[in-house]
Amino acid sequence: MVSSKHFDREYYQRYYHRADTAIMTRDMQRREVAFVIAFCRHIRLDVDRFADVGAGTGWWAGEFSKQYPRCKNIETFDSSVDACDVYGHRNVPLEKLKRPRADLVICRDVLRYISDSDIETAIVRLADKCRGVLFLQVMTSDDDIDEEASDMEGWFRTSSWYRRALKRVEFRDCGMGLFVSHRFKDFDPFALETR
């Protein structure tokens, strides 16, 4: 695993707070959260418990709470001591994540920082945490990466590797980073909508 010290205050300043180097704008953040909420509504998943794993600056949970105020159980986790100190998350690495299960779990740009020796455990923990929808964003070796603007630490696996790993823990791939847990029994997609 990439050392949690890699994710220091300077890391968050560069990739999240400085306008000239940030990876997302506020508008992009709002639209991403709205998209995931719309998917949950589309499949009739009520989000009573939300978890952001690798929460970083906490922007996802903050925007989610604005757009979906009825969810009162919001958990945020990070392995970085700096992120936890500054943004108020629980200091828990993904490989040690525990229940209670959440209806919506966000795991944004975390899995590529987990070593080959720990990745299977991390995915099993992620699957055990989710009882509804998992929104996963991860940079892969298939992506066209701007190496000047990106953090190039970590393990760059293929997108098909992640899809296979999530299928093994009984997630249905709905595309666009959306995966539905086998625990959500009311999910009934058309065959062409999932892989």
Side-chain angles (χ1 to χ4, degrees), residues 52-182:
D52 188 351
V53 181
T57 62
W59 71 262
W60 228 106
E63 186 59 36
F64 174 78
S65 65
K66 287 179 198 167
Q67 294 189 35
Y68 202 95
R70 60 189 262 194
C71 181
K72 302 303 180 197
N73 297 302
I74 294 178
E75 300 177 294
T76 59
F77 306 93
D78 208 289
S79 64
S80 163
V81 172
D82 282 329
C84 294
D85 287 348
V86 174
Y87 305 109
H89 315 306
R90 288 180 48 208
N91 186 223
V92 179
L94 177 49
E95 310 89 286
K96 296 186 178 175
L97 190 65
K98 295 183 180 176
R99 297 182 197 177
R101 289 190 175 120
D103 302 296
L104 175 59
V105 175
I106 305 303
C107 186
R108 197 171 199 298
D109 203 26
V110 175
L111 293 180
R112 75 171 166 115
Y113 291 109
I114 298 177
S115 69
D116 289 337
S117 60
D118 293 329
I119 190 66
E120 297 286 347
T121 300
I123 288 175
V124 167
R125 294 290 180 135
L126 196 57
D128 193 48
K129 183 71 175 170
C130 184
R131 65 186 177 201
V133 169
L134 166 67
F135 179 64
L136 177 68
Q137 189 276 334
V138 60
M139 209 181 304
T140 73
S141 59
D142 300 323
D143 294 317
D144 185 15
I145 302 168
D146 180 349
E147 294 187 20
E148 298 274 323
S150 303
D151 177 20
M152 296 307 294
E153 292 292 320
W155 289 260
F156 292 88
R157 303 169 183 95
T158 64
S159 55
S160 61
W161 186 95
Y162 286 106
R163 286 191 180 99
R164 284 192 306 271
L166 288 163
K167 188 173 186 175
R168 282 194 298 272
V169 290
E170 301 183 81
F171 276 103
R172 291 183 78 172
D173 179 2
C174 297
M176 303 290 291
L178 294 161
F179 295 84
V180 177
S181 170
H182 68 100

Side-chain angles (χ1 to χ4, degrees), residues 41-60:
R41 287 183 173 137
H42 177 67
I43 65 168
R44 293 185 295 279
L45 173 68
D46 291 323
V47 182
D48 294 323
R49 181 174 289 277
F50 168 90
D52 188 351
V53 181
T57 62
W59 71 262
W60 228 106

